[in-house]
Amino acid sequence: MKLSKNFTNPLAANNPVIVQILGICSALAVTVKLEPALVMGLSVTFVTAFSNLIMSLLRNGLPSRIRIIVQLVVIATLVIVVDQFLRAYMYDVSKQLSVYVGLIITNCIVMGRVEAFALGNKPWDSFVDGVANGIGYALILVIVAFFRELFGSGTLFGFDVLARFGYTNNALMLFPPMALIIIGCIIWVHRSINKDLQEK
Amino acid sequence: MAINKNSNVYIIIYTVVMVVIVGTLLATLATWLKPTQDANVLNEQKVSIMKAFGEADANFDEVVTMGRITAGEFVAVEEAADVQAVFALLGNRKALGEATDELPIFKFEKDGVAKYVLPIVGKGLWGDIWGYVSLYVVDGKLTISGIVMDHAGETPGLGAEIASAGVQGSFADKVLYNEAGEFAVRMQKGGAQNEHQVDAITGGTKTCDGVNAMLETSISKYKSFLDTLTVAVAEDTTAEEQPAEEPVEEANVESVNVEEE
């Protein structure tokens, strides 16, 4: 019961991007096309899941004075692992993501979950929490990228969709502010469904 | 005795062990993946060169002759070590920009027309710009057949447009040198006005200036070789376009036949 709530909570009611407003930087930068957005989402999921798992395993022997440094080393290692694999096996996507893979290290979601959850919970719970938060992030990225690619380039995953209906691409969708506007719209819809999130 | 987790000794041992584990892990991973990553980079260089030739689907290894220009002469590169050195140079933009000898060049022949691809490197507004330009001789004039450009960090939608197919396509059929023998291809603000010029990108003037400088400096290094090219092609044309590889005797017989008719 608790485990399933751990998993579903970050997907909607406590989504890291649209409720906690974390990880916005990369949400703006890598959502021009669906493919890099999806890869970015999966990379972050991998990093949050395993940094949570590893830090949860280490939590009892961890000297609290160097807690943050150890977290950074673990997260940075995982990010480098992801980056190296992308360069080797998904070269084109890694070129599109460029510095943003490395910047996962600074993504507040990752360190936030380690601090807030993994250091006080058992490994399996922490792993599930990491996966769920990663997916919650990926979900928003994919939704934003869906609209930006569809209306900005007329394609989805590179396949022509709107172009065949004589649609003229809207270059405005390709600029970063549009990602912020779409995220704003998602937050709006989300809050009108979850009334308890609305401030009085 | 309980271990004091905040003692200096514990912390130092903890960090040392952690760093050794992480260091070993990452070093192993990097060494293990390096060949695949290098292959990706090499493949990208080859694909870019084939795109510049306008033959994106052809296999680089089968159709392209690699060479280096030394003192104005085309010297074919065949040894594996030399091939590697050429690609390493292409991957090192700083060294490539400074090179003055043993300049890399790629030759591709189709339907009796030889095209040459030269690497180009320069500076845009925010960072490096680079690419490959394909040249051939039309009516005795050196002409661009295709160009591929990429950039490190030009402004999206403005300078970054040099990486788009539209801008690159507008370089096709531009003649390199004007009547006075000066390098004349440039991205012209206000629109192309003659057979040498290309429309500049609105809002991307500084990047376009960078492209102009890149083309002139990079191509000028090959000038002595390119000059021999136009002369050679001109001679070929006057010799009734006889394929050079045909045995001389046969060629003679044919020319006699022509006279008889």
Side-chain angles (χ1 to χ4, degrees), chain A residues 68-85:
Chain A
I68 302 283
I69 297 173
V70 176
Q71 289 171 16
L72 273 179
V73 171
V74 170
I75 294 167
T77 308
L78 289 167
V79 170
I80 294 170
V81 168
V82 169
D83 190 33
Q84 292 288 324
F85 269 100

Side-chain angles (χ1 to χ4, degrees), chain A residues 5-196:
Chain A
K5 195 150 181 263
N6 266 351
F7 187 77
T8 52
N9 220 12
L11 297 188
N14 198 14
N15 187 290
V17 183
I18 59 174
V19 178
Q20 301 170 22
I21 320 291
L22 299 176
I24 295 291
C25 158
S26 49
L28 303 185
V30 300
T31 50
V32 173
K33 293 260 156 67
L34 263 173
E35 194 187 4
L38 188 64
V39 173
M40 183 71 178
L42 293 176
S43 306
V44 170
T45 307
F46 171 85
V47 175
T48 49
F50 284 93
S51 64
N52 264 12
L53 177 68
I54 293 168
M55 288 314 297
S56 179
L57 288 169
L58 293 178
R59 74 187 191 283
N60 291 325
L62 188 66
S64 60
R65 281 203 285 168
I66 57 163
R67 192 181 79 241
I68 302 283
I69 297 173
V70 176
Q71 289 171 16
L72 273 179
V73 171
V74 170
I75 294 167
T77 308
L78 289 167
V79 170
I80 294 170
V81 168
V82 169
D83 190 33
Q84 292 288 324
F85 269 100
L86 287 182
R87 273 169 209 248
Y89 297 109
M90 301 185 81
Y91 186 68
D92 287 339
V93 178
S94 92
K95 265 183 61 188
Q96 289 179 48
L97 290 175
S98 65
V99 297
Y100 292 99
V101 177
L103 285 177
I104 295 175
I105 297 170
T106 62
N107 193 318
C108 311
I109 300 170
V110 185
M111 217 162 173
R113 290 327 292 170
V114 170
E115 274 283 295
F117 197 92
L119 290 181
N121 285 283
K122 293 202 172 120
W124 176 242
D125 288 342
S126 304
F127 183 75
V128 170
D129 179 79
V131 171
N133 274 283
I135 294 176
Y137 168 85
L139 205 61
I140 303 302
L141 248 64
V142 167
I143 294 173
V144 175
F146 173 84
F147 288 111
R148 289 182 77 189
E149 181 171 353
L150 185 64
F151 295 112
S153 313
T155 59
L156 286 175
F157 282 111
F159 294 107
D160 280 340
V161 178
L162 286 182
R164 63 187 64 188
F165 302 114
Y167 174 77
T168 308
N169 295 336
N170 184 350
L172 185 63
M173 297 299 284
L174 302 177
F175 288 106
M178 210 56 210
L180 209 55
I181 292 170
I182 295 174
I183 290 180
C185 294
I186 296 173
I187 294 176
W188 177 26
V189 171
H190 187 245
R191 289 198 170 207
S192 47
I193 296 171
N194 298 283
K195 298 250 189 288
D196 54 323

